[in-house]
Amino acid sequence: MYINILYNYNVFCLLGDYLWKEKILNPNSDLYLSAQAVQSVSAKYGDFLMLQVRTAAEYLYSFTCCSVIMGIPVLTMELAIGRASKKSAVLAYKKLEKPKSKWHIHGWFCILGCYLLMMYYTPVSGWMLSYFFKFATGTFESGMTAEQVGNVFSNLMSNPVEMIIWMAVMAIAGFFVCSKGIQNGIEKVSKVMMILLLALIVILAINSLTLSGAAEGIKFYLVPDLEKVQSIGIGHIITSAMSQAFFTLSLGIASMEILGSYMTREKTLPSESIKICILDTFVAITAGLIIFPACFSYGVEPNQGPALIFVTLPNVFVNMAGGRIWGTLFFMFMTFACFSTVIAVFENLISFCIDMFNMSRTKSVIINAIIMLIGCLPCIFGFNLLSGFNILGKGVLDIEDFAVSNILLPVGAFLYSLFCSTKFGWGFDGYLNECNQGEGIKFPRFFKPYIKYVLPVLVLIVFISGFIPQG
């Protein structure tokens, strides 16, 4: 039954990741989100919240391939370590590693990555919740000008108190759910949100596909443009897709490992991983079917790089028949996507403290809630009180994200691949045996050369590409 949590977690998190989380910190990326691009809002917000999709179709197909050749194998590794050990990150390594080896040190970095991720992901989740309430309560009205719509986002970013309130609501709600445990908290909430998400995504996609300019949006989204590929560079598109595959599946920082520790051995891990990736890809494709037809129907060019979620789409909704309803549903959808990620990663942090320090769940929840509420403040202040702070041109959120997306995720995936394939770690035999327990698709033994030699090289390419400026 715990695999339901995995499905829900990955399905919800991918929509948010796909729409606003592709290479946040790379200002030269051809697919990234950045508030800096919203010139009418404020140039001070830095490299955040702009989706520049000049290569939508090419990127989508590259992402799908990378999820298969890289995402699935690494996902099975995290799940295998979790299921075999039944422990959180550090103790899982200690149980499976050879005597006197130091693989468990990576477990501490995994937990650091989860804390760091949530210190900027939780505030952004609060933005989603804020916009859900703003649409539901009528802050966005029919006929608003583009400047008025932009000012709503500008006012939110300049108001640290409001941002703290929305962040706190998401954080406290997340820890409250986790305090109830896996079965009575996370699983019950996830099942309800899963049903609502599937209903919302179908309704929103159907609405977008019935708009007058839907055909052009679909063409832009699904038909590759070889001239764009040539101008941008196929290498850049592929490496960006490789990196995104790790982020959407949250691979490398043990966020999937802890969920694997709750799984039974009824099904093989390749089968479960494939199902998760299929659901990820389904949501990614459907998200595009919601966004691009709407943009083209209302004359918004995606390749102009506006702040798609918080400025462009609200501007579309306020000019759409029944736009207040559609805007409310869309941001409810986005809030569910973010909230599911929040509770899944919170559970990792809570379980870690329970395992390592013999805490009760209640005590672990309280301590982690305090850490998170304080830890999120620098990210929030980075958009207002600390807006002048930067290191090498990066603000607070940019620095936090760079550490997670460009360092901890790929390095973690690299270490997992070595741990599961070499004699110095758990070894390929232990990994393969755990993967293939249960009913379903099984990995053949001849996968070993790919797992041991090819996959680590691909992960290193992702890591190195994160430090290469893209033109």
Side-chain angles (χ1 to χ4, degrees):
M1 62 182 166
Y2 294 119
I3 194 61
N4 289 330
I5 300 170
L6 299 177
Y7 295 161
N8 297 343
Y9 167 52
N10 281 280
V11 169
F12 281 117
C13 80
L14 179 61
L15 178 71
D17 297 336
Y18 182 80
L19 293 180
W20 57 263
K21 191 61 184 63
E22 202 288 319
K23 300 298 288 178
I24 280 178
L25 297 177
N26 186 352
N28 297 313
S29 173
D30 293 289
L31 288 130
Y32 81 110
L33 298 161
S34 171
Q36 186 176 16
V38 193
Q39 300 299 331
S40 62
V41 177
S42 175
K44 69 181 180 182
Y45 295 141
D47 299 331
F48 196 66
L49 297 174
M50 180 180 76
L51 182 64
Q52 195 177 48
V53 285
R54 298 208 308 258
T55 57
E58 296 81 359
Y59 179 80
L60 176 63
Y61 299 134
S62 297
F63 166 78
T64 302
C65 291
C66 292
S67 295
V68 172
I69 66 175
M70 298 177 64
I72 290 176
V74 179
L75 177 56
T76 61
M77 292 174 185
E78 282 207 35
L79 295 179
I81 292 171
R83 194 170 73 171
S85 67
K86 300 299 180 183
K87 301 290 184 180
S88 57
V90 175
L91 294 184
Y93 269 125
K94 286 188 174 182
K95 183 173 181 177
L96 301 177
E97 68 186 1
K98 291 179 171 56
K100 297 183 179 181
S101 58
K102 303 297 182 182
W103 290 96
H104 61 273
I105 294 175
H106 173 238
W108 290 97
F109 282 95
C110 288
I111 298 303
L112 172 64
C114 288
Y115 276 115
L116 206 54
L117 172 64
M118 287 296 99
M119 286 177 184
Y120 65 87
Y121 200 102
T122 309
V124 175
S125 299
W127 302 356
M128 302 295 181
L129 181 62
S130 169
Y131 265 57
F132 164 68
F133 275 97
K134 290 180 190 302
F135 267 100
T137 57
T139 299
F140 290 97
E141 300 176 343
S142 177
M144 289 178 68
T145 65
E147 183 178 1
Q148 290 173 324
V149 171
N151 285 339
V152 175
F153 184 60
S154 177
N155 293 337
L156 175 64
M157 293 295 97
S158 63
N159 189 338
V161 175
E162 182 180 1
M163 292 178 70
I164 290 172
I165 291 173
W166 291 116
M167 176 275 292
V169 170
M170 290 293 286
I172 293 172
F175 281 112
F176 175 77
V177 171
C178 291
S179 71
K180 300 299 181 180
I182 296 295
Q183 291 177 303
N184 295 325
I186 298 175
E187 189 169 0
K188 286 185 177 180
V189 171
S190 294
K191 284 181 178 179
V192 173
M193 288 196 298
M194 181 66 169
I195 295 172
L196 291 174
L197 176 128
L198 292 176
L200 287 171
I201 197 171
V202 171
I203 292 171
L204 290 166
I206 291 174
N207 178 66
S208 289
L209 292 174
T210 58
L211 298 174
S212 59
E216 286 300 313
I218 294 173
K219 180 180 178 181
F220 173 83
Y221 180 46
L222 297 179
V223 179
D225 188 329
L226 296 181
E227 291 185 2
K228 291 179 181 178
V229 173
Q230 185 176 7
S231 64
I232 293 170
I234 186 64
H236 175 42
I237 295 174
I238 292 176
T239 54
S240 294
M242 291 164 71
S243 178
Q244 182 69 3
F246 284 122
F247 189 90
T248 57
L249 292 169
S250 301
L251 301 176
I253 55 174
S255 58
M256 299 305 296
E257 182 272 334
I258 188 62
L259 297 176
S261 71
Y262 299 129
M263 293 172 62
T264 67
R265 292 187 170 90
E266 295 179 359
K267 301 292 184 180
T268 64
L269 296 181
S271 292
E272 303 297 76
S273 298
I274 290 171
K275 292 174 184 177
I276 291 171
C277 286
I278 288 174
L279 287 172
D280 275 350
T281 306
F282 165 75
V283 175
I285 293 173
T286 309
L289 293 178
I290 294 171
I291 299 298
F292 294 111
C295 287
F296 277 83
S297 295
Y298 288 88
V300 177
E301 291 291 338
N303 62 355
Q304 290 180 354
L308 190 58
I309 290 183
F310 294 104
V311 177
T312 301
L313 285 178
N315 193 49
V316 169
F317 290 137
V318 298
N319 289 284
M320 179 187 296
R324 178 176 169 183
I325 296 175
W326 294 117
T328 301
L329 291 177
F330 178 80
F331 283 101
M332 179 189 295
F333 181 23
M334 294 299 299
T335 299
F336 287 165
C338 292
F339 187 63
S340 185
T341 304
V342 166
I343 60 177
V345 181
F346 281 179
E347 173 60 25
N348 195 13
L349 301 176
I350 293 167
S351 296
F352 168 76
C353 291
I354 293 173
D355 284 352
M356 288 298 300
F357 307 112
N358 295 317
M359 291 183 183
S360 66
R361 176 167 285 270
T362 299
K363 184 176 181 180
S364 180
V365 166
I366 293 173
I367 291 175
N368 277 287
I370 294 173
I371 292 173
M372 198 54 57
L373 289 172
I374 297 174
C376 289
L377 295 181
C379 174
I380 291 174
F381 294 154
F383 290 95
N384 36 75
L385 301 180
L386 299 177
S387 59
F389 173 83
N390 72 84
I391 298 177
L392 299 177
K394 299 183 187 299
V396 176
L397 183 147
D398 299 343
I399 295 169
E400 292 175 335
D401 180 74
F402 186 86
V404 174
S405 300
N406 292 58
I407 300 176
L408 294 175
L409 290 180
V411 170
F414 178 74
L415 292 175
Y416 276 130
S417 67
L418 294 183
F419 183 71
C420 291
S421 65
T422 67
K423 63 181 180 180
F424 303 105
W426 188 19
F428 184 76
D429 290 341
Y431 157 70
L432 187 66
N433 178 63
E434 184 61 44
C435 271
N436 290 341
Q437 290 195 40
E439 298 180 358
I441 299 172
K442 301 179 187 294
F443 276 163
R445 181 163 290 277
F446 64 74
F447 267 25
K448 183 175 181 178
Y450 175 78
I451 297 295
K452 187 174 183 179
Y453 301 110
V454 179
L455 184 60
V457 172
L458 293 177
V459 177
L460 279 179
I461 292 174
V462 173
F463 175 69
I464 294 171
S465 67
F467 292 86
I468 300 175
Q470 302 291 341

